[in-house]
Amino acid sequence: MTKNMRYLRNCFIYNCLFVFTFWDNIGLAKKNELFASVPNNFLEDGLDKKNMSFSHSYANNQHYKADYGWVVIENTMESLSLSEIADDNVRKLITLLSKFRKGSRLRNLTLTNMSVDWKDIIKVLQVVWHSSIEYFNINNLTQLGNVVSTRFDYSKTSMKAFAVNKVLITDLYFSQDDVYNIFANMNIAALTIAESELIHMLCPSSDSPLRYINFSKNDLTDLLFQNCDKLIQLETFILHRNKFESLSKVSFMTSRMKSLRYLDMSSNLLRNSRAEGRCQWADSLAELDLSSNQLTEAVFECLPANINKVDLQNNQIASVPKGITELHSLQELNLASNRLADLPGCRAFTSLEILNIERNLILTPSADFFETCPSVKELQAGQNPFKCSCELQDFLRLERQSGGKLSGWPEAYVCKYPEDLSGTQLKDFHLTELACNTTLLLVTALLLTLVLVAVVAFLCIYLDVPWYVRMLWQWTQTKRRAWHDCPEERETALQFHAFISYSERDSLWVKNELIPNLEKGEGCIQLCQHERNFIPGKSIVENIINCIEKSYKSIFVLSPNFVQSEWCHYELYFAHHKLFSENSNSLILILLEPIPPYVIPARYHKLKALMAKRTYLEWPKERSKHALFWANLRAAISINLSVADEQNRTEV
């Protein structure tokens, strides 16, 4: 009895010494993640986020090599991370791992830089499979030796997730199914095979419990899981950076995955065309990542009807075509880095809440976007080559009315064109309403033109401008004809003492009083009267001009009748023109009858000015004063015509 007790005590002491020695040789460290790509919803649905990760940080920032030949990176009660596993120490590793039976506290195991034979890989995997380890990660695995068919026991495992990254198989001649079978039938929740040049994977032989699969950065093609109906619990499927080409075949691949919620097909070679036929997606699919492919606008005819979120950034989409299948459940759409020239409408996306259309080719976005898309809560439209012009004003008003729905405003919204405004933020770009509203501009210009025309017309009518223009034109034409037709008359000699201008209604006074008293008696005065001195064949205007120019003085018989005569006005105009052109004192005004100011038309403003500034002779009603009147008039016009002619020649 005593001997047996001593034996048990010694065994207990030896076991304790072994355990203490093992943990002393390994040391403590912190944790790091194993499955960084696992989505949050997957973790929330039953897998503990803490247990989905391993640690790669180091206790006291030290790595050290254990007596077994491998490098210990991390060792805690629940996590173990080893590196540099080779043929000479793999058996020791198998022996060590076989001690972690169920009931052990070790949950996470990471093996890095592992170069061993295929059969030893399977042994390590088999030992771990039946241990307490739930999350197993292998990084940089190099297979040595031949790959042979191996039977694997999947029963009684605690494993939840297995990940292998960067696998290199050196055996060139082996059956692919010998490798695929091991992974395809794993009865775990999460499987990752990444960066391993994987070209295919077999469909599980029975209903698989896999809920998460990550086959990113491999060489998988459209042949993957075609007609496979065993992945009935798969929720998350990541196929990032493979070699898929047909979007319709991808949809058929998922059609039997009844629980699929998230599919990542980004960075593949996907194309789509109407010739491929109809797409058939899993009804449960809620989130689809098709970014960084070669898809065009035809992709909208191949999207799942019940999809909630679609990522189509970095493709070749030029527009959102009309008449596509309505996606009533779509809430988030990413169209960044495509070829869109305008904001898409929401006719087919009635529930859309978030739209990303950054880095496209939008110059002037449509201003009615939020009117056609009332459910949108966030619009990301920055980093487009905006053209700062009048068309952009409506979009700027849209931003002010959106209530902060433009994400990235104002930093991401910058003018690209024209060059003089390049780099200007849209919030600092302003144009007046008149400059941008063509209708308002035309109406304003028309109104201003009409006002200007009305003012000019009023002034012309008030000042009788057309009449003066016409008279100036006739005077110019008369002078031109005289210059060309009668060169001998260019230097005209004075032939008359005075030219008489009067109204026909005052002709009796002119013929009975004026002419007889001036042309008879001593100092005979020669008068130019239109009835006897106008040359037949010439125009009236030309005769008037000639008479005025050949007369030393011009006598104007003023009366209310005078201001009503059109021809009197002509004669006054030409005589006044001579007054200013020759700087002579040639006008004599005779006021035959008083003229009230209101009777004088507006165009006779020169007459008003003359009567206001120049002395005029007033015809007296008393006969006794007539002699004095005629004496003053003779004195005003009396001149020797030969002397005057000589003076003119001297001045010339």
Side-chain angles (χ1 to χ4, degrees):
M1 183 74 176
T2 303
K3 184 176 182 180
N4 291 336
M5 290 295 294
R6 187 182 298 112
Y7 175 79
L8 292 175
R9 184 183 62 185
N10 291 337
C11 289
F12 176 77
I13 293 174
Y14 291 146
N15 289 333
C16 290
L17 289 175
F18 173 80
V19 172
F20 290 148
T21 302
F22 174 77
W23 289 113
D24 286 339
N25 288 334
I26 294 180
L28 298 176
K30 299 178 182 179
K31 292 186 177 181
N32 190 20
E33 291 195 19
L34 169 62
F35 298 121
S37 57
V38 178
N40 291 336
N41 61 342
F42 178 69
L43 298 174
E44 294 169 357
D45 288 344
L47 293 181
D48 182 20
K49 186 181 296 186
K50 174 182 177 182
N51 292 331
M52 287 290 289
S53 62
F54 284 143
S55 167
H56 290 284
S57 55
Y58 322 119
N60 299 324
N61 198 26
Q62 292 181 353
H63 289 189
Y64 63 91
K65 199 167 185 178
D67 294 339
Y68 302 105
W70 54 69
V71 175
V72 179
I73 297 177
E74 177 193 14
N75 177 31
T76 66
M77 295 297 292
E78 294 185 356
S79 300
L80 176 63
S81 179
L82 306 176
S83 181
E84 310 304 328
I85 310 299
D87 279 340
D88 57 352
N89 58 19
V90 67
R91 297 189 181 278
K92 297 178 182 178
L93 176 64
I94 295 173
T95 302
L96 173 63
L97 296 177
S98 63
K99 299 182 179 296
F100 297 102
R101 299 291 182 180
K102 289 186 177 181
S104 170
R105 297 180 60 182
L106 185 64
R107 295 291 182 270
N108 306 316
L109 174 63
T110 300
L111 302 179
T112 306
N113 296 330
M114 188 175 182
S115 300
V116 296
D117 289 337
W118 173 255
K119 60 181 180 179
D120 291 327
I121 296 173
I122 299 302
K123 289 181 180 179
V124 171
L125 183 57
Q126 188 71 81
V127 171
V128 173
W129 202 265
H130 296 298
S131 69
S132 62
I133 296 171
E134 297 178 356
Y135 305 98
F136 184 25
N137 186 25
I138 301 178
N139 296 318
N140 296 324
L141 171 62
T142 301
Q143 170 268 329
L144 304 176
N146 298 325
V147 176
V148 296
S149 178
T150 306
R151 185 176 180 182
F152 196 87
D153 182 10
Y154 298 100
S155 63
K156 299 179 181 180
T157 183
S158 300
M159 187 82 70
K160 294 180 179 178
F162 173 63
V164 55
N165 299 276
K166 297 182 180 179
V167 177
L168 176 61
I169 298 179
T170 59
D171 188 3
L172 300 179
Y173 304 100
F174 65 95
S175 173
Q176 298 285 336
D177 291 353
D178 292 339
V179 176
Y180 300 148
N181 273 320
I182 297 296
F183 302 105
N185 294 298
M186 286 185 171
N187 53 336
I188 55 179
L191 173 64
T192 297
I193 303 177
E195 300 182 70
S196 301
E197 299 181 355
L198 184 67
I199 62 174
H200 191 56
M201 178 56 65
L202 295 176
C203 181
S205 57
S206 59
D207 291 345
S208 174
L210 283 170
R211 295 167 55 196
Y212 172 91
I213 295 179
N214 184 351
F215 288 161
S216 61
K217 299 181 182 180
N218 286 294
D219 295 325
L220 296 168
T221 66
D222 297 329
L223 299 177
L224 179 68
F225 292 153
Q226 292 295 319
N227 300 319
C228 180
D229 58 356
K230 304 301 181 182
L231 298 170
I232 57 176
Q233 298 187 43
L234 184 61
E235 298 177 4
T236 301
F237 199 6
I238 300 176
L239 294 169
H240 168 72
R241 282 187 60 180
N242 278 277
K243 296 182 178 180
F244 291 88
E245 297 182 4
S246 172
L247 186 60
S248 62
K249 291 183 179 180
V250 171
S251 70
F252 288 128
M253 175 189 68
T254 68
S255 61
R256 299 187 179 184
M257 300 176 182
K258 300 179 180 180
S259 303
L260 186 63
R261 299 279 301 169
Y262 174 81
L263 176 63
D264 184 356
M265 296 299 304
S266 61
S267 301
N268 276 276
L269 306 174
L270 288 175
R271 298 181 178 88
N272 64 296
S273 64
R274 294 178 176 85
E276 290 186 354
R278 185 179 177 183
C279 296
Q280 297 182 10
W281 299 91
D283 294 336
S284 59
L285 188 59
E287 187 173 346
L288 178 60
D289 189 346
L290 297 174
S291 61
S292 301
N293 281 284
Q294 302 173 25
L295 301 169
T296 63
E297 48 269 23
V299 68
F300 289 99
E301 299 179 3
C302 189
L303 294 179
N306 299 322
I307 197 72
N308 298 130
K309 180 179 179 180
V310 177
D311 190 343
L312 289 170
Q313 68 173 317
N314 195 25
N315 278 282
Q316 301 175 13
I317 301 172
S319 65
V320 178
K322 298 180 180 179
I324 62 175
T325 303
E326 294 185 355
L327 306 176
H328 295 294
S329 300
L330 185 63
Q331 297 178 350
E332 184 173 347
L333 177 60
N334 189 344
L335 290 171
S337 301
N338 277 279
R339 303 176 181 178
L340 292 164
D342 198 0
L343 296 173
C346 297
R347 181 175 303 176
F349 318 128
T350 55
S351 301
L352 189 65
E353 296 181 356
I354 299 176
L355 174 63
N356 187 342
I357 198 168
E358 297 178 331
R359 298 181 298 279
N360 275 272
L361 303 177
I362 300 177
L363 299 178
T364 53
S366 298
D368 60 347
F369 174 77
F370 286 113
E371 295 179 4
T372 60
C373 303
S375 300
V376 172
K377 299 178 181 178
E378 179 180 342
L379 173 62
Q380 303 173 33
Q383 303 180 52
N384 276 285
F386 295 108
K387 180 181 178 182
C388 287
S389 60
C390 289
E391 290 79 5
L392 199 64
Q393 291 290 90
D394 293 336
F395 180 74
L396 296 180
R397 283 192 291 270
L398 174 68
E399 186 279 327
R400 291 191 288 268
Q401 298 170 3
S402 66
K405 293 182 179 180
L406 278 183
S407 178
W409 180 272
E411 292 79 8
Y413 298 80
V414 178
C415 297
K416 178 69 174 180
Y417 305 104
E419 293 185 1
D420 57 331
L421 293 176
S422 180
T424 303
Q425 290 187 355
L426 266 59
K427 71 178 181 66
D428 298 326
F429 169 69
H430 302 286
L431 286 176
T432 62
E433 184 69 22
L434 183 62
C436 292
N437 192 326
T438 305
T439 303
L440 181 60
L441 180 62
L442 291 176
V443 171
T444 304
L446 180 60
L447 290 176
L448 290 177
T449 302
L450 292 176
V451 171
L452 180 61
V453 170
V455 171
V456 172
F458 173 78
L459 292 176
C460 288
I461 295 173
Y462 181 77
L463 300 176
D464 207 10
V465 172
W467 186 90
Y468 286 106
V469 172
R470 185 168 66 253
M471 289 301 97
L472 180 61
W473 170 254
Q474 291 181 1
W475 181 83
T476 304
Q477 291 298 101
T478 301
K479 299 294 286 186
R480 185 183 62 81
R481 285 194 299 269
W483 178 269
H484 289 286
D485 298 341
C486 303
E488 69 279 359
E489 297 181 3
R490 292 176 188 172
E491 296 181 1
T492 306
L494 294 176
Q495 299 178 10
F496 306 98
H497 286 91
F499 166 72
I500 306 174
S501 176
Y502 59 92
S503 171
E504 283 296 324
R505 296 180 180 180
D506 300 325
S507 60
L508 291 177
W509 183 85
V510 172
K511 294 176 181 179
N512 297 331
E513 296 287 346
L514 181 63
I515 294 177
N517 282 283
L518 293 180
E519 290 187 341
K520 295 178 182 180
E522 295 181 3
C524 180
I525 295 176
Q526 299 180 22
L527 299 176
C528 181
Q529 184 192 15
H530 67 273
E531 292 181 354
R532 66 187 183 185
N533 297 112
F534 277 10
I535 301 174
K538 290 187 177 182
S539 66
I540 297 177
V541 174
E542 191 171 355
N543 275 309
I544 292 173
I545 293 174
N546 288 334
C547 276
I548 291 175
E549 290 184 345
K550 292 179 181 180
S551 301
Y552 178 65
K553 297 285 185 176
S554 294
I555 300 174
F556 290 90
V557 180
L558 304 179
S559 69
N561 296 324
F562 182 92
V563 296
Q564 300 299 324
S565 173
E566 185 75 16
W567 292 111
C568 291
H569 194 192
Y570 291 161
E571 293 165 353
L572 179 64
Y573 174 80
F574 292 131
H576 191 263
H577 184 271
K578 179 182 179 182
L579 173 67
F580 284 96
S581 62
E582 298 180 3
N583 195 21
S584 63
N585 190 14
S586 60
L587 294 181
I588 298 175
L589 304 179
I590 299 176
L591 186 61
L592 185 61
E593 296 179 12
I595 305 175
Y598 63 87
V599 176
I600 304 177
R603 64 187 180 185
Y604 275 80
H605 62 91
K606 290 183 179 179
L607 178 60
K608 293 180 179 180
L610 288 172
M611 294 181 67
K613 295 180 180 179
R614 300 179 71 88
T615 302
Y616 54 85
L617 296 173
E618 188 174 357
W619 172 249
K621 300 299 182 180
E622 299 85 355
R623 183 172 294 274
S624 59
K625 297 180 180 179
H626 289 179
L628 180 61
F629 173 83
W630 297 120
N632 290 334
L633 182 57
R634 281 177 176 274
I637 61 176
S638 179
I639 189 173
N640 191 332
L641 293 180
S642 60
V643 174
D645 184 33
E646 186 65 28
Q647 290 177 352
N648 289 339
R649 291 179 181 274
T650 303
E651 291 175 0
V652 174

